[in-house]
Amino acid sequence: MSFELMMLAAATVWGFLQLVAAAQAANAQYGLSWAASPRDGEMPPLRPIPGRINRNFRNYMETFPFFAAAVLVAQAAGVHNELTHWGAIAYIGGRIAYSVLYVSGVPLVRSLFWNVAAFGMLAVLAAPFLPH
């Protein structure tokens, strides 16, 4: 398995952990009867920390498909170089740092790490189109 596919697997695990964290944070606030219900009724907004956990997960789900596509394009093209290697590291590292900062309520700096992840994803995507 290529390094980039291993990073995609790691990003998938990271996403799953965020899904579980968001679900558990909502369950802790709303209770198990809500968790087992069809959730048809309106609920009050999530408190700050559970809300951040939920919004962070939603934000992750906005970028993850693009990272997955970038890795799969590089894989299909047979391109595995420093750009794909470090781009994949930048994506997963940036997303982990972003998550920690977002949930902790740190403004502005978290956006820097969102950009690190975005540039990492773009590096992986660009690699097959550049001369090698």
Side-chain angles (χ1 to χ4, degrees):
M1 181 183 320
S2 70
F3 178 80
E4 296 82 6
L5 284 177
M6 286 190 285
M7 290 290 94
L8 179 56
T12 302
V13 169
W14 181 244
F16 180 73
L17 291 174
Q18 291 177 85
L19 168 66
V20 170
Q24 291 305 314
N27 291 348
Q29 179 174 328
Y30 296 145
L32 292 179
S33 61
W34 171 82
S37 77
R39 303 176 190 176
D40 292 332
E42 290 293 320
M43 297 299 290
L46 289 167
R47 291 186 296 254
I49 298 296
R52 286 184 206 147
I53 293 169
N54 185 277
R55 290 187 302 276
N56 174 67
F57 172 63
R58 301 285 171 241
N59 183 275
Y60 186 77
M61 292 309 297
E62 291 173 0
T63 66
F64 176 75
F66 297 106
F67 175 67
V71 168
L72 295 175
V73 166
Q75 186 72 25
V79 175
H80 309 284
N81 57 28
E82 287 190 16
L83 203 53
T84 61
H85 180 93
W86 291 108
I89 290 171
Y91 177 79
I92 188 73
R95 289 307 313 196
I96 290 169
Y98 177 88
S99 294
V100 170
L101 293 167
Y102 193 104
V103 172
S104 299
V106 177
L108 198 56
V109 175
R110 76 170 190 246
S111 296
L112 170 68
F113 287 97
W114 187 95
N115 285 306
V116 166
F119 283 118
M121 175 185 58
L122 291 172
V124 174
L125 182 59
F129 299 98
L130 299 174
H132 20 290

